[in-house]
């Protein structure tokens, strides 16, 4: 299916392990830096409940297992546009041990261009969501649809972390210009590095406010979007 091209991990898998845990080299490189940002904005531990994290565009499952291993009360729901990486995501969770395996749920299907599935709604509301390396390697409409669908899954006051390369007030470093022209546009003319200010407008229509911009290694950024609540959350609750 054509939509399979829009997976968010953004790199070619380097090898296939006997355990079925496939490797996206960029995920190994960025997982610790992303965690440092995410851990700083997740809600504090609660005595009566786990902190629930929704991952959109999971890819191999490296981030989900790694983050769950670093916080003992974190419950992660990985999702992707297909279930092709279900075995890989499960393998990473298994490798991390039985406690992490319990808290990394099986991969579920989530296509931002389609309604939120009942199997994901059943676990909502989530405290936080993350989407790593998807927005620049997907059609433009996926930007607004990401905010729309996450708004249905988050509780008010929750947050969305998006990670990847971004334009900011029109500025883009030369290495990312080259990446856009020589890689993204060669894959699909619609793919492009998104402008943060344009994303702010799309996010605002679905109840999100840009709370922070974190500079990351390799000319990437982590954006923290705070969800104030709105129509999407009400629809999910009905």
């Amino acid at each position: 299916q054509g939509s399979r091209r829009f997976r968010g991990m953004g790199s070619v898998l380097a090898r296939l392990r006997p355990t079925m845990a496939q490797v996206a080299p960029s995920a190994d490189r960025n997982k610790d830096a992303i965690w440092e940002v995410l851990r700083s904005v997740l809600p504090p531990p609660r005595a009566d409940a786990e902190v629930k994290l929704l991952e959109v565009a999971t890819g191999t499952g490296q981030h989900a297992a790694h983050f769950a291993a670093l916080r003992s009360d974190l419950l992660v729901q990985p999702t992707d546009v297909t279930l092709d990486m279900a075995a890989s995501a499960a393998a990473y969770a298994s490798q991390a041990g039985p406690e992490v395996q319990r808290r990394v749920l099986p991969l579920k299907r989530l296509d931002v261009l389609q309604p939120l599935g009942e199997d994901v709604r059943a676990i909502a509301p989530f405290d936080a969501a993350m989407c790593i390396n998807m927005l620049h390697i997907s059609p433009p409409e996926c930007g607004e649809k990401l905010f729309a669908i996450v708004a249905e899954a988050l509780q008010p006051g929750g947050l969305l972390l998006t990670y990847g390369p971004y334009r900011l007030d029109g500025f883009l470093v030369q290495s990312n210009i080259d990446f856009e022209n020589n890689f993204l546009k060669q894959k699909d003319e619609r793919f492009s590095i998104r402008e943060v200010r344009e994303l702010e407008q799309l996010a605002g229509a679905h109840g999100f406010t840009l709370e922070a911009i974190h500079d990351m290694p390799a000319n990437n950024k982590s954006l923290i979007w705070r969800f104030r609540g709105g129509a999407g959350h009400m629809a999910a609750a009905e």
Side-chain angles (χ1 to χ4, degrees):
Q1 299 293 325
S3 61
R4 292 175 62 185
R5 293 179 298 173
F6 309 143
R7 188 178 311 283
M9 292 307 296
S11 64
V12 177
L13 299 177
R15 68 183 189 273
L16 182 62
R17 294 178 178 172
T19 58
M20 296 302 294
Q22 299 192 39
V23 181
S26 63
D28 275 340
R29 292 193 298 267
N30 64 34
K31 62 187 181 184
D32 288 318
I34 295 173
W35 173 248
E36 286 305 307
V37 175
L38 182 62
R39 68 188 286 270
S40 72
V41 292
L42 285 173
R46 298 185 291 249
D48 58 344
E50 293 171 312
V51 172
K52 293 193 289 186
L53 174 66
L54 173 67
E55 183 178 24
V56 180
T58 290
T60 60
Q62 288 162 261
H63 292 108
H66 186 66
F67 296 168
L70 290 172
R71 180 163 169 170
S72 62
D73 65 339
L74 189 63
L75 180 75
V76 185
Q77 176 58 74
T79 70
D80 215 321
V81 69
T82 76
L83 298 181
D84 291 353
M85 291 292 175
S88 179
Y92 277 107
S94 176
Q95 287 175 9
E99 174 57 23
V100 172
Q101 187 176 25
R102 180 187 69 82
R103 290 184 289 105
V104 177
L105 302 178
L107 185 72
K108 297 188 186 302
R109 186 178 287 105
L110 189 156
D111 182 339
V112 299
L113 301 180
Q114 301 295 326
L116 187 65
E118 291 301 323
D119 53 350
V120 178
R121 286 181 183 273
I123 303 163
F126 292 88
D127 299 286
M130 64 181 180
C131 182
I132 298 170
N133 280 334
M134 186 196 87
L135 287 173
H136 60 283
I137 196 163
S138 58
E141 59 267 27
C142 290
E144 180 176 4
K145 295 299 186 181
L146 171 66
F147 292 111
I149 206 162
V150 172
E152 295 186 40
L154 281 183
Q155 62 179 357
L159 66 95
L160 166 65
L161 180 152
T162 64
Y163 169 91
Y166 296 95
R167 285 179 165 83
L168 182 58
D169 297 320
F171 177 76
L172 193 63
V173 298
Q174 186 60 47
S175 62
N176 281 341
I177 293 173
D178 295 340
F179 173 64
E180 182 178 65
N181 292 334
N182 300 330
F183 179 73
L184 295 179
K185 295 297 185 183
Q186 300 305 311
K187 290 180 69 69
D188 191 311
E189 185 61 32
R190 296 172 296 171
F191 294 174
S192 66
I193 296 176
R194 307 299 297 270
E195 166 61 57
V196 172
R197 303 311 178 195
E198 293 178 0
L199 291 175
E200 278 191 278
Q201 295 181 9
L202 298 176
H206 297 283
F208 289 89
T209 301
L210 180 61
E211 183 172 275
I213 301 174
H214 296 268
D215 289 328
M216 306 293 283
N219 295 317
N220 290 304
K221 297 181 186 299
S222 287
L223 309 182
I224 303 300
W225 306 90
R226 186 67 61 177
F227 181 55
R228 60 182 182 269
H233 176 263
M234 292 173 62
E238 290 176 352

